[in-house]
Amino acid sequence: MDTSFITINTHSSIRLQTSLGTVIYVDPFGFKTEPHDADLILITHTHFDHFSPDDIARVRTPHTAFVMPAYNMREFIEAGFTDESAAFLMPYEKAMPLPGIEIETVPAYNISKSFHPEDKAWMGYVVVMDDMRVYIAGDTDDLPENREIECDVALVPVGGTYTMNAREAAAFVNTLRPTVAIPEHYGSVAGSAGDGEAFAKLVDPEIQVDIKL
């Protein structure tokens, strides 16, 4: 499966582009340029490496739409976002922020660590586009309630410390059974440069692994 429509700037700063040219960013971070090409920006949670107002400013346009966790509405509004520009959602909700693009929200939290508490209601996303389901896990562990997510592509954190490590992420993906798995959230803020390769070696050979970092 060709996943050239997905790029990772760094860490877990993800960019998707539909067949019609619509550009979606998830947690834009670490930009050295100012592409100003975002039609839609999704934010998973408010840690600095996921919610960066400076990087959002580098990719947004005057018409960019946003989807953000409802729990952090005050923080987003204080940073200049409004109800008119953003949909504030909870896990297990759906939205259609742009024609032809549907967003499904799923939980993202830690089970035995305190970095991402369940009660924050932070999120991962399933982006439905071009007759395809792209799951972007956010900062999470292997959650029982996420093992039934239907997706063609799964982008999962593998760097450990704050999220799943490579072994845990591979076990999750092997249960999830996407066509393609893409490791992220390693090599800079968390994890090491070799985490993607370590993940790939543990994923079922029937699942395609694309390493983009």
Side-chain angles (χ1 to χ4, degrees), residues 89-131:
L89 302 182
M90 297 286 288
Y92 304 113
E93 293 190 332
K94 294 183 179 181
M96 188 171 283
L98 296 175
I101 296 175
E102 185 173 303
I103 303 298
E104 301 174 6
T105 62
V106 297
Y109 63 88
N110 293 134
I111 295 174
S112 58
K113 295 172 281 196
S114 60
F115 302 109
H116 306 91
E118 183 178 6
D119 62 7
K120 292 282 191 181
W122 288 337
M123 303 184 300
Y125 294 97
V126 177
V127 180
V128 185
M129 49 177 276
D130 291 339
D131 297 320

Side-chain angles (χ1 to χ4, degrees), residues 11 158-159 183-188 190-197 211-213:
H11 190 48
V158 304
E184 41 94 359
H185 205 280
Y186 69 95
S188 56
S192 64
D195 287 334
E197 293 289 350
I211 296 177
K212 295 181 178 288
L213 281 173

